[in-house]
Amino acid sequence: MDLTVTQPWADRHITERLAPDAQGIARAAELLRQGKLVALPTETVYGLAADATSGAAVAGIYGAKERPSFNPLIAHLPDLAAARRQGLFDANALALAKAFWPGPLTLVVPVSSACEVSELARAGLASVALRVPSHPIAHAVLQAAGRPIAAPSANRSGRVSATSAAHVLEDLDGRIDAVLDGGPTEVGVESTIIACLDGAPRLLRPGGVPRAAIEGVIGRPLVLAGEAGMAPISPGLLASHYAPAARIRLEAQEPRPGEAWLGFGPDGSDGPPTGPHLNLSPGGDLTVAAANLFGHLRALDTLRPAVIAIAPIPTHGLGEAINDRLRRAAAPR
Ligand code: TXA
Ligand code: MG
């Protein structure tokens, strides 16, 4: 399969603004059934949604995001029963789905013989990534659309994920058919991705469900994809991703002259820095920090500093996902 996008994004029309009510939900589902692109709130980040069963609709996602290549996408379903029609669940996958769905967990499982998710959405793989989101609006749209819905984060390729409708429009206004404004997202980082393909479940991406919670359900430590000589199997997990225009300096103790500052926890005896600064959570709460992460990065980046210096973030709980996104933002491009 040719995995290169050759067409630049096609000219589109006005991006409709939809309200989070019955009418907005019905319109979003109608557009999706027509093969159109609609940005939707989920509990993690906003998703750029399209009919996963239509190769043409999925191609529109890659075009609007200007993705350089066709990464496989997550197919979103309203419930476990609908997900089980698309993929084959082993005992671990079933236990994880029952424990964390609806919620910020994605399971990569072998495709079922009845799988309707298009080859393009799966990038030709024999596995499929499935997620049942808990956001009530996402759930209502999925139910009304009545088919698997592909939805990567609703940002332009290489930019940080969108956690509000305003951030979606910053990147995609005029390139997509509609955005449904459900307010800021609650979790703030993307779903945890676990592969249940053969034997031990593997962690493909840390995210909204902390590792310890997953390990509690499967009853043993999670194997990290790429560890122990295993080939990484999540092609979308580029080292450089989620990148603001500014360079990122991690584990900083304080800003140097000219740097913008992203703090975490109390700002020390000298109080907040004098230059541009934001704090992910003055109280040192990782759940609050995850919810603020992408919005604060965008806000500081708007000021066009050469460097954003970032305080050390603890690595437990949601800290694993936060540190993963920060490392990607800091990776050489
Ligand atoms: O929270 C989320 O997961 C958000 C919301 C919108 O649901 N979605 C999201 O999608 O983050 P996206 O496209 O940005 O990330 C999907 C990831 C990619 O890294 C891709 O490589 C991986 O899932 N993936 C998808 N299908 C896969 C498969 N069959 N095998 C391995 N990795 C897969
Ligand atoms: Mg993304």
Side-chain angles (χ1 to χ4, degrees):
M1 186 190 298
D2 180 6
L3 297 182
T4 316
V5 175
T6 49
Q7 292 292 316
W9 60 280
D11 256 352
R12 291 196 170 260
H13 10 268
I14 307 287
T15 300
E16 288 179 39
R17 274 68 162 166
L18 305 178
D21 54 17
Q23 204 184 334
I25 289 164
R27 177 68 179 150
E30 177 185 32
L31 288 168
L32 289 171
R33 283 195 304 267
Q34 294 169 354
K36 303 275 173 66
L37 301 177
V38 182
L40 294 177
T42 81
E43 70 277 22
T44 57
V45 299
Y46 273 71
L48 178 52
D51 179 351
T53 69
S54 157
V58 170
I61 292 179
Y62 297 109
K65 281 181 67 97
E66 291 183 72
R67 274 210 177 176
S69 62
F70 292 155
N71 297 326
L73 302 177
I74 298 169
H76 297 70
L77 290 310
D79 50 43
L80 175 57
R84 289 188 81 174
R85 285 194 282 278
Q86 308 301 323
L88 301 173
F89 285 61
D90 65 11
N92 283 313
L94 205 53
L96 289 171
K98 287 186 172 156
F100 300 112
W101 280 354
L105 174 73
T106 295
L107 294 170
V108 173
V109 298
V111 291
S112 72
S113 55
C115 183
E116 302 159 282
V117 177
S118 64
E119 283 254 318
L120 186 56
R122 292 186 283 110
L125 298 172
S127 55
V128 62
L130 303 173
R131 174 158 119 76
V132 175
S134 64
H135 196 292
I137 295 196
H139 181 261
V141 173
L142 291 171
Q143 206 142 41
R147 64 195 68 186
I149 296 296
S153 52
N155 50 280
R156 243 189 270 176
S157 187
R159 309 229 14 216
V160 299
S161 300
T163 52
S164 72
H167 293 164
V168 172
L169 290 168
E170 242 172 65
D171 280 16
L172 299 172
D173 196 9
R175 296 173 171 232
I176 62 177
D177 298 286
V179 57
L180 202 164
D181 188 347
T185 62
E186 196 186 314
V187 179
V189 291
E190 296 87 344
S191 59
T192 302
I193 306 182
I194 305 285
C196 294
L197 292 173
D198 35 28
R202 282 188 274 170
L203 176 62
L204 301 189
R205 179 177 73 184
V209 179
R211 166 197 288 269
I214 307 259
E215 293 177 339
V217 169
I218 61 175
R220 57 173 155 177
L222 263 181
V223 184
L224 238 192
E227 250 176 25
M230 262 181 314
I233 62 166
S234 215
L237 302 180
L238 305 175
S240 165
H241 203 107
Y242 307 100
R247 272 189 300 116
I248 299 291
R249 187 165 71 83
L250 298 179
E251 312 274 338
Q253 294 310 319
E254 57 188 11
R256 294 172 186 155
E259 289 182 343
W261 174 248
L262 186 56
F264 175 80
D267 270 318
S269 53
D270 299 338
T274 48
H277 62 274
L278 286 172
N279 194 310
L280 288 172
S281 168
D285 182 328
L286 288 166
T287 303
V288 174
N292 285 330
L293 179 66
F294 292 132
H296 279 14
L297 280 173
R298 271 180 191 259
L300 288 176
D301 208 32
T302 306
L303 307 172
R304 293 276 168 256
V307 176
I308 301 174
I310 305 181
I313 314 290
T315 56
H316 62 268
L318 287 181
E320 186 176 12
I322 295 171
N323 279 289
D324 170 80
R325 304 306 187 270
L326 289 176
R327 275 194 299 277
R328 291 174 204 277
R333 299 163 217 157

